Amino acid sequence: MPPVPLSVLDLVPVTSGSDAAGALRETVLLARAAEEFGYRRYWLAEHHLNPGVAGSAPALVIQAVARATSRIRVGSGAVLLGHRTPLSVVEEFGILDAFFPGRIDLGLGRSGRPRGATPPAAGAGEAGPGEGTFTDEGLYVPPPFTGFGRLVRSPRFERQAELLQQPGARTPPYADQLAELFDLLAGTSPGARAVPGEGADVEVWILGSSGGESAELAGERGLPFAANYHVSPGTVLEAVAAYRAAFKPSPVLAEPYVVVSADVVVGEDDATARELAAGYAPWVRSIRSGEGAIAYPTPEEARRHRWTDEDRELVADRVDTQFVGSARTVAERLAVLRRATGADELLVTTITHDHTDRVRSYELLAREWGLL
C-alpha cells in the first residue's frame, strides 16, 4: 500500500515551566512548520479544566492557526456537542469559513458528560482486565480501558459538568443535534437561519472511540470518520468496523473515509525518542486518575514519579500503544496501523517537553513518510 496522508492533532499542551500563553504561541509555530512539512490538516482538540492543556476553545485557536498559515486545512478534533448547541457551532464555523474559505474542518464529538446527564453508577461500563491481542498485520490491540466510569464520576468532571451548562439545561440526543446542525448549514431549519453559517463550505467529520452511536451516525450520514487509537486503542477496530458497516453513500462521500489517530514521538534514534517520551506515562496517569492533565514533565521530572501497580495498570494501554522511536521505527508502526484499520489518513499527535523536539519529531516523520 502506498503511504497515506498524515495530519496533526494538537492538544495545545502546557509544559512544566511554561504557561497557557506559551503553549498557544507554540501551537501557531508548530502549525506553520506542519504546513511546510506537508501535513494535510491541523486539528485542535477541546478540553476543559485541565491545567496541562490549553485548547479549551477550538474555534478561537483555529482562527489563530488559519491566519498564520495559508494552505493546510484547519479544524476541530473535536467540538463537543454535549457542551454546545448546534446553532452556536454553525455560527462560529460560519465565521471561520468566511475568513478562511475552503480550509475549515468541523470535527464533532459528543462529550464525557452531556448537559443534564446522570453520572454512571459505580461499575457501569467496567469489566475486569483482559489480555491484549495482535492483529494479523501485527497491530497491538490492548484490552479496552475499563476506568471511564470512574473517571467521569471524579470531582473534577462533576465540577466541569456544572460549569459547562446553564442550570437545568439538558442535551438533546446526539442524532437530533446532528440533524439540526445540518439543517442550519443547509438553510432548511424550520423558522431559523444561521448567519453566518448557512451555506458554509466546511468539511464535517464525526469523531468516535468505539463502535457505538458516533461511528454509526457517521456511516449513516455518509460522513468521514475519525477513530481514536490514541485515546482508546482497545476499541479502534470495532469503531472502524461499525462505521463501515453503517456507511451509506452521500453527496459528501461515495465510499467510507477513515482517519485513525496515534500518539507518536520520533527522535534521531530509538533511545533518544524514548527519552523524549519519558513524560508521557505520568501525564496520562494525571488524566486517567481524574485529577486533570498536569503540565507535561521533563524526562528528569518524570523519572521522579513514584509508580504503584495501580498506576501502571491505569496507563498501560496508552503507553503500550504509543509509537516511539526513530523515524523508520515509527513509520513502520504507522504502516501497520494503517494496514490493520484500512485507514485512508493518519492523524499524528505528539507531545514532548521541549517545543524544538516536538517540531523535529514531526519533521523527521514527514521526511521518512515521503511528505518532504
Side-chain angles (χ1 to χ4, degrees), residues 78-295:
V79 167
L80 302 179
L81 279 179
H83 305 149
R84 309 289 297 281
T85 67
L87 177 60
S88 66
V89 173
V90 169
E91 289 175 337
E92 283 182 357
F93 279 75
I95 291 172
L96 290 169
D97 177 66
F99 282 126
F100 313 103
R103 292 182 58 203
I104 301 300
D105 294 340
L106 171 52
L108 299 168
R110 291 185 298 174
S111 72
R113 176 89 61 81
R115 290 169 295 166
T118 301
E126 299 185 13
E131 295 295 327
T133 61
F134 285 88
T135 68
D136 291 342
E137 298 81 5
L139 179 71
Y140 178 60
V141 181
F145 178 61
T146 60
F148 285 117
R150 181 180 67 179
L151 180 60
V152 300
R153 291 192 305 274
S154 71
R156 184 181 66 85
F157 264 80
E158 294 287 344
R159 182 60 171 155
Q160 174 178 293
E162 177 184 351
L163 293 175
L164 288 173
Q165 65 187 34
Q166 296 294 335
R170 301 193 66 85
T171 299
Y174 192 41
D176 293 348
Q177 287 184 294
L178 290 179
E180 183 62 51
L181 184 144
F182 279 103
D183 283 347
L184 289 165
L185 283 172
T188 57
S189 179
R193 297 187 62 185
V195 180
E198 184 178 310
D201 182 22
V202 295
E203 192 171 289
V204 181
W205 290 69
I206 303 295
L207 280 73
S209 296
S210 71
E213 186 179 21
S214 294
E216 293 171 359
L217 286 171
E220 291 168 1
R221 284 192 165 271
L223 298 172
F225 179 64
N228 295 320
Y229 185 69
H230 87 284
V231 168
S232 185
T235 56
V236 66
L237 296 181
E238 69 177 60
V240 171
Y243 165 66
R244 291 198 173 102
F247 186 83
K248 298 176 182 178
S250 72
V252 176
L253 290 176
E255 298 177 346
Y257 191 95
V258 177
V259 62
V260 177
S261 63
D263 261 305
V264 165
V265 175
V266 180
E268 301 294 341
D269 52 49
D270 289 353
T272 300
R274 286 193 294 271
E275 177 73 0
L276 295 176
Y280 184 70
W283 184 78
V284 171
R285 184 215 162 272
S286 69
I287 298 169
R288 287 275 180 89
S289 68
E291 298 168 4
I294 58 173

Side-chain angles (χ1 to χ4, degrees), residues 31-88:
R32 288 173 176 161
E35 181 172 76
E36 294 305 311
F37 298 158
Y39 288 85
R40 173 169 286 188
R41 62 187 89 240
Y42 197 98
W43 281 1
L44 288 308
E46 178 179 345
H47 293 281
H48 299 277
L49 293 187
N50 278 294
V53 289
S56 56
L60 292 176
V61 189
I62 287 169
Q63 183 176 28
V65 167
R67 190 172 297 280
T69 55
S70 59
R71 303 181 307 277
I72 195 169
R73 296 193 65 89
V74 189
S76 55
V79 167
L80 302 179
L81 279 179
H83 305 149
R84 309 289 297 281
T85 67
L87 177 60
S88 66

